[in-house]
Amino acid sequence: MVGTIELDTATELIEAAEAKADEIGVPSVIAVTNAEGNLIAQHRMDGAWLPSVNISRNKAYTAAGLEMPTHELAEASEPGESLYGLQTTDEGRIVIFGGGFPLERDGEIVGAIGSSGGEVDEDMTVARAGIDRFEELIE
């Protein structure tokens, strides 16, 4: 069975991430997926950019599928590096900049969260608020 999180949990993570996005003034789109990168829930805040819908979903998909935060892919995918061109694979769904993080429970990846709507550091801050809420829920 694929590790996952329930819809009500995904909704709580999105709410926490949105609260952070409001706090820093960055309308965002937040997506939560299962361990395989399939969408569980997604929400677009008022004023968030339309392209952020796909970007947030793809950040979560990448983090789940590659089992790592998306920002960790940037250096390895530069020209001359071992993963150069990675972002052009998988029908363009792989994201190599920050804002996507896997969600782990008991050492197992059960899902991922992705945020898009601001600069990379802002997207990471918003997504981390969702991670913080997830960690509170699994304690």
Side-chain angles (χ1 to χ4, degrees), residues 64-98:
L66 299 181
E67 301 179 351
M68 63 191 312
T70 55
H71 67 273
E72 292 182 7
L73 296 166
E75 190 173 321
S77 58
E78 291 177 355
E81 297 300 325
S82 63
L83 297 178
Y84 177 63
L86 177 67
Q87 70 277 16
T88 65
T89 66
D90 201 9
E91 298 178 357
R93 292 194 66 191
I94 303 296
V95 178
I96 60 168
F97 50 91

Side-chain angles (χ1 to χ4, degrees), residues 2 4 7 22-23 35 52-53 66-67 71 77 96 98 110 129 135:
V2 174
T4 194
L7 177 60
D22 273 337
E23 179 184 317
S52 291
V53 172
L66 299 181
E67 301 179 351
H71 67 273
S77 58
I96 60 168
V110 295
E135 291 174 353

Side-chain angles (χ1 to χ4, degrees), residues 53-68:
V53 172
N54 286 333
I55 295 168
S56 66
R57 189 170 55 236
N58 289 341
K59 285 180 179 184
Y61 170 83
T62 301
L66 299 181
E67 301 179 351
M68 63 191 312

Side-chain angles (χ1 to χ4, degrees), residues 7-58:
L7 177 60
D8 60 340
T9 300
T11 301
E12 286 194 49
L13 306 186
I14 290 171
E15 288 171 356
E18 286 182 349
K20 179 57 76 172
D22 273 337
E23 179 184 317
I24 65 173
V26 178
S28 301
V29 181
I30 299 99
V32 176
T33 69
N34 69 4
E36 291 183 328
N38 295 312
L39 188 64
I40 295 172
Q42 183 176 41
H43 192 243
R44 179 181 178 207
M45 296 173 67
D46 291 340
W49 296 328
L50 182 58
S52 291
V53 172
N54 286 333
I55 295 168
S56 66
R57 189 170 55 236
N58 289 341

